[in-house]
Amino acid sequence: MITHLKFAGVPCRDQDLQLRFWTEKMGFRVVTDQPMGDQRWIELAIAGSETRIVLFTPEGQADRVGTFFNGSFACDDVEATWRQLAARGVEFRGPPEKQPWGTFAMFKDPEGTEYVLSSR
């Protein structure tokens, strides 16, 4: 049976720009970086998790760059994580917002794709 999500794709135009963002600002680590056609297959690991992200844009999917990532990154304390990432230069829409279901904040990557950061 299925045990976990292995990876989620993050479409991008500039893989080097995104690689610097996800490693230097977001704190992910490179698992693999190898040629794959006209691009590279770049897998990044989230500390303490089996889930990874892949910086790769499948053919015909370039229009997804700069839109909305259909998923959510979880953390134990959104406000503390927001402060830490904002200090590293990650761009947020605004401060964390509290909702009945939890706290969340929205951030962008360098190419404008927006992501949700939320509490568990």
Side-chain angles (χ1 to χ4, degrees):
M1 298 308 302
I2 296 172
T3 59
H4 63 280
L5 178 66
K6 183 176 179 180
F7 61 77
V10 173
C12 56
R13 287 187 186 88
D14 187 333
Q15 288 181 303
D16 290 321
L17 176 68
Q18 291 286 5
L19 182 59
R20 285 190 303 276
F21 173 77
W22 289 101
T23 56
E24 295 172 11
K25 293 187 178 185
M26 298 300 294
F28 292 25
R29 68 178 174 79
V30 176
V31 175
T32 188
D33 183 346
Q34 58 190 348
M36 186 168 178
D38 295 337
Q39 301 179 64
R40 295 163 20 220
W41 183 262
I42 305 172
E43 268 185 58
L44 305 173
I46 299 170
S49 174
E50 292 185 57
T51 302
R52 299 174 180 182
I53 63 169
V54 176
L55 304 178
F56 183 83
T57 306
E59 188 174 328
Q61 299 294 310
D63 61 339
R64 292 179 50 211
V65 177
T67 61
F68 179 77
F69 178 79
N70 193 17
S72 179
F73 290 99
C75 63
D76 292 324
D77 184 336
V78 174
E79 292 173 356
T81 303
W82 169 74
R83 283 190 302 273
Q84 181 182 34
L85 293 176
R88 292 181 189 170
V90 175
E91 181 184 345
F92 282 85
R93 247 195 218 174
E97 296 180 33
K98 293 184 185 216
Q99 298 294 326
W101 48 265
T103 303
F104 79 100
M106 301 283 300
F107 69 93
K108 291 182 180 184
D109 71 21
E111 295 182 302
T113 301
E114 292 188 306
Y115 304 84
V116 174
L117 174 67
S118 64
S119 56
R120 297 177 184 254

